[in-house]
Amino acid sequence: MQQEKDSNEVCEICSIIRGENVVLGEKNHQEQNIRKSNIGLALVGITGGAAVALSVIAAPFVTPALRKVVAAAQKAQLESVGVELNPWLVWYSRWKAWRSGVSSSTSFITHDLWKLNLLNYKNIVIFGVEEMMPQLERKLVQELSSDGLVVACRFPLPTWQPIASFGSGIDTVWLYQRP
């Protein structure tokens, strides 16, 4: 069997050298293209699957913050801007705001929080991880207006004293006035 394959390859190479139309070569070329196409589709599938899995994993952590932004827009009739680095979560947030009927008073942008200038915002609702809160405090002191308010969800600011807190456990939120 191997000998027959080697013989076919030699014949194909000879035909190519002579400039003849090579049916085997075209077939092999097509098979290579199909293999490349299948590899590309597999990579797209794996990447898409990973993105969906990460979004599903992140949803329980993001959903409480999204609910608070939507609730602020609904009940307090506040203009709200959500900032998120993950574009999938931004699109999900926009869809949820639309479904909740607050898309006209909310917007969500894909942006790095650390590169966003907070001077244009008087009040901030932050839903972050515990490790980012000390750095966030420093950013807020530098950029938040002196009469600005901060609502921290799930994790408190480490050195600021809250003026109020609501909820319990992972649903706790703290209200701060900039010191």
Side-chain angles (χ1 to χ4, degrees), residues 65 68-69 72 80-83 123-127 149-153 173:
K68 287 171 179 51
V69 171
S80 303
V81 177
V83 178
N123 301 311
I124 306 287
V125 176
I126 187 71
F127 188 86
L149 297 174
V150 176
V151 176
C153 304
V173 295

Side-chain angles (χ1 to χ4, degrees), residues 87-157:
W88 293 101
L89 295 177
V90 169
W91 282 104
Y92 174 74
S93 300
R94 289 175 181 160
W95 178 76
K96 288 294 280 186
W98 174 77
R99 292 264 326 226
S100 301
V102 295
S103 59
S104 63
S105 61
T106 60
S107 62
F108 296 89
I109 58 173
T110 305
H111 205 287
D112 184 343
L113 176 65
W114 305 113
K115 295 177 182 174
L116 181 69
N117 187 339
L118 300 176
L119 290 172
N120 296 327
Y121 304 98
K122 182 175 177 181
N123 301 311
I124 306 287
V125 176
I126 187 71
F127 188 86
V129 295
E130 190 171 14
E131 295 79 14
M132 75 182 275
M133 299 313 262
Q135 187 178 359
L136 180 62
E137 268 188 0
R138 291 188 292 277
K139 181 174 179 62
L140 291 169
V141 166
Q142 293 172 355
E143 298 178 15
L144 188 62
S145 66
S146 60
D147 60 341
L149 297 174
V150 176
V151 176
C153 304
R154 194 164 282 183
F155 296 104
L157 295 171

Side-chain angles (χ1 to χ4, degrees), residues 5-179:
K5 181 180 174 190
D6 291 342
S7 176
N8 285 341
E9 287 176 355
V10 169
C11 289
E12 182 180 351
I13 292 169
C14 291
S15 296
I16 292 170
I17 291 170
R18 285 192 297 257
E20 298 173 359
N21 289 336
V22 181
V23 174
L24 286 175
E26 290 173 6
K27 184 177 179 184
N28 286 342
H29 185 67
Q30 289 172 349
E31 288 174 0
Q32 287 176 348
N33 285 342
I34 290 170
R35 273 188 239 124
K36 286 179 185 176
S37 176
N38 288 342
I39 290 171
L41 288 173
L43 288 174
V44 168
I46 290 169
T47 304
V52 168
L54 286 173
S55 296
V56 167
I57 291 168
F61 300 103
V62 174
T63 301
L66 179 59
R67 280 196 315 253
K68 287 171 179 51
V69 171
V70 170
Q74 284 176 325
K75 294 179 183 171
Q77 297 179 346
L78 297 174
E79 293 286 324
S80 303
V81 177
V83 178
E84 171 59 51
L85 194 56
N86 181 334
W88 293 101
L89 295 177
V90 169
W91 282 104
Y92 174 74
S93 300
R94 289 175 181 160
W95 178 76
K96 288 294 280 186
W98 174 77
R99 292 264 326 226
S100 301
V102 295
S103 59
S104 63
S105 61
T106 60
S107 62
F108 296 89
I109 58 173
T110 305
H111 205 287
D112 184 343
L113 176 65
W114 305 113
K115 295 177 182 174
L116 181 69
N117 187 339
L118 300 176
L119 290 172
N120 296 327
Y121 304 98
K122 182 175 177 181
N123 301 311
I124 306 287
V125 176
I126 187 71
F127 188 86
V129 295
E130 190 171 14
E131 295 79 14
M132 75 182 275
M133 299 313 262
Q135 187 178 359
L136 180 62
E137 268 188 0
R138 291 188 292 277
K139 181 174 179 62
L140 291 169
V141 166
Q142 293 172 355
E143 298 178 15
L144 188 62
S145 66
S146 60
D147 60 341
L149 297 174
V150 176
V151 176
C153 304
R154 194 164 282 183
F155 296 104
L157 295 171
T159 63
W160 290 16
Q161 294 303 311
I163 57 175
S165 65
F166 308 92
S168 62
I170 63 170
D171 286 328
T172 303
V173 295
W174 294 267
L175 176 62
Y176 299 93
Q177 186 165 7
R178 183 182 179 267

